[in-house]
């Protein structure tokens, strides 16, 4: 499991919020792949970690 720092988690939350239209119809794995492909997220971040980030984005 990768080290998902609080700072990285907050950055990913903000990125997903700003680009919400792009990620709104994707499952956590699809979001993870998109973020890794764009170079926004390290490849060792897991789908479960992305799921937690998406849940955090929904709560905001």
């Amino acid at each position: 499991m990768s080290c998902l720092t609080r700072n990285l988690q907050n950055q990913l939350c903000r990125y997903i919020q700003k680009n919400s239209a792009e990620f709104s119809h994707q499952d956590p794995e699809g979001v993870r792949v998109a973020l890794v492909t764009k170079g926004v997220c390290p490849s060792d971040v897991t789908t479960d970690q992305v799921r937690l980030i998406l849940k955090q984005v929904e709560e905001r």
Side-chain angles (χ1 to χ4, degrees), residues 20-34:
S20 61
E22 182 179 346
F23 300 113
S24 63
H25 300 295
Q26 294 185 19
D27 61 345
E29 178 61 20
V31 172
R32 188 192 76 78
V33 169

Side-chain angles (χ1 to χ4, degrees), residues 19-54:
N19 300 287
S20 61
E22 182 179 346
F23 300 113
S24 63
H25 300 295
Q26 294 185 19
D27 61 345
E29 178 61 20
V31 172
R32 188 192 76 78
V33 169
L35 292 172
V36 170
T37 302
K38 291 178 186 265
V40 176
C41 176
S43 61
D44 57 351
V45 170
T46 66
T47 303
D48 290 334
Q49 290 170 325
V50 172
R51 185 175 290 118
L52 290 172
I53 291 169
L54 291 173

